[in-house]
């Protein structure tokens, strides 16, 4: 399915970043959730309060970990590229990676781990093929600095610049099932057909196929 509507209008979700509101609106009540790169725990808190989920978090930044713990959340400090290997297979109903994929060293391995740990995985990321990014490169000839990508090339945490069509191709190559896809432009839904050009952000809900789970390894590799 491709999402429409305005999930951020649901009670308790209005304060969330739009991609997080989409995710929160589509998590089943009472689910077990692992939020990877959970930041200060805003999504986890909303899921706890509106969906009564059992939410756990993994976050690299110590300040954000402290903020999440102060909310009464179960969050530990860790690195998605390394520490996901320690979680058992199918230990969560959903594994969530929001606006973090492009910052990891090996996004492919992180995605493999998400779909080993969770029965389903939500992934959101900024679309580097958005027309404003294209225009900035075309006319300026330099790496874009935009409202959503405000940091210069030498200080940005974004090290893998993925587009909607890149991600669609990756999912098809890996044989993953897409149970939902939502494309946002300035926080509002935009069409799937024009998403690679018009969407600033994308959210995918993935499920692995019936192939055997990927065994964890000590270095985080699949």
């Amino acid at each position: 399915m491709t999402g429409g509507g305005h999930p951020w209008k649901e009670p308790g979700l209005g304060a969330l970043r739009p991609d997080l509101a989409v995710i929160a609106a589509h998590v089943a009540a009472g689910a077990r959730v692992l939020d990877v790169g959970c930041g200060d725990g805003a999504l986890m808190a909303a899921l706890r309060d509106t969906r009564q989920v059992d939410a756990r978090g993994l976050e690299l930044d110590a300040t954000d970990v402290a903020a999440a713990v102060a909310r009464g959340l179960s969050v530990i400090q860790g690195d998605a590229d390394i520490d996901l290997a320690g979680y058992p297979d199918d230990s969560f109903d959903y594994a969530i990676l929001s606006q973090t994929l492009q910052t990891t060293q090996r996004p492919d391995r992180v995605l493999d781990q998400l779909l080993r740990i969770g029965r389903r995985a939500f992934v959101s990321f900024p679309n580097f093929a958005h027309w404003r990014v294209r225009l900035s490169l075309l006319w300026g000839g330099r790496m874009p600095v935009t409202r959503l990508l405000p940091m210069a090339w030498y200080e940005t945490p974004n090290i893998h610049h993925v587009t909607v069509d890149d991600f669609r191709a990756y999912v098809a190559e890996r044989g993953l099932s897409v149970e939902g896809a939502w494309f946002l432009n300035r926080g509002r839904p935009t069409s799937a057909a024009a998403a690679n050009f018009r969407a600033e952000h994308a959210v995918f809900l993935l499920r692995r196929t019936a192939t055997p789970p990927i065994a964890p390894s000590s270095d985080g590799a699949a």
Side-chain angles (χ1 to χ4, degrees):
M1 67 180 174
T2 300
H6 304 282
W8 45 87
K9 292 184 179 180
E10 290 193 20
L13 303 186
L16 288 176
R17 197 175 66 206
D19 64 308
L20 297 184
V22 168
I23 293 170
H26 293 89
V27 169
R32 297 166 299 155
V33 172
L34 176 65
D35 189 357
V36 180
C38 64
D40 65 2
L43 174 60
M44 293 174 62
L47 288 172
R48 176 193 62 193
D49 297 342
T50 67
R51 295 290 191 270
Q52 294 74 53
V53 306
D54 178 7
R56 310 298 170 92
L58 182 73
E59 171 57 43
L60 185 60
D61 184 87
T63 301
D64 280 341
V65 172
V69 170
R71 293 176 184 256
L73 300 168
S74 177
V75 175
I76 61 173
Q77 188 172 13
D79 186 338
D81 280 299
I82 300 170
D83 295 317
L84 293 180
Y87 290 90
D89 295 353
D90 292 325
S91 48
F92 294 91
D93 298 306
Y94 301 93
I96 297 172
L97 191 73
S98 59
Q99 304 293 331
T100 302
L101 181 69
Q102 73 281 357
T103 71
T104 60
Q105 295 290 332
R106 284 297 302 266
D108 56 336
R109 293 177 180 175
V110 171
L111 288 170
D112 285 344
Q113 293 290 354
L114 287 181
L115 289 165
R116 178 186 64 79
I117 295 165
R119 299 179 186 278
R120 290 172 173 81
F122 278 104
V123 181
S124 73
F125 55 87
N127 173 31
F128 286 88
H130 182 257
W131 69 267
R132 291 184 185 274
V133 176
R134 299 189 196 200
L135 191 63
S136 179
L137 279 169
L138 177 64
W139 291 111
R142 300 175 62 181
M143 290 302 296
V145 177
T146 68
R147 178 176 61 89
L148 294 177
L149 302 170
M151 303 178 77
W153 65 269
Y154 53 83
E155 59 181 346
T156 178
N158 299 320
I159 59 176
H160 291 287
H161 294 178
V162 63
T163 74
V164 169
D165 282 357
D166 283 329
F167 196 79
R168 284 168 165 163
Y170 174 87
V171 166
E173 289 164 3
R174 294 298 179 103
L176 302 176
S177 296
V178 177
E179 293 195 348
W182 300 265
F183 306 104
L184 305 173
N185 182 42
R186 295 189 174 269
R188 301 293 178 177
T190 191
S191 72
N196 200 54
F197 184 74
R198 294 183 59 189
E200 291 178 321
H201 293 100
V203 182
F204 284 82
L205 174 58
L206 305 177
R207 179 174 55 83
R208 66 173 178 261
T209 54
T211 54
I214 299 161
S217 63
S218 58
D219 65 355

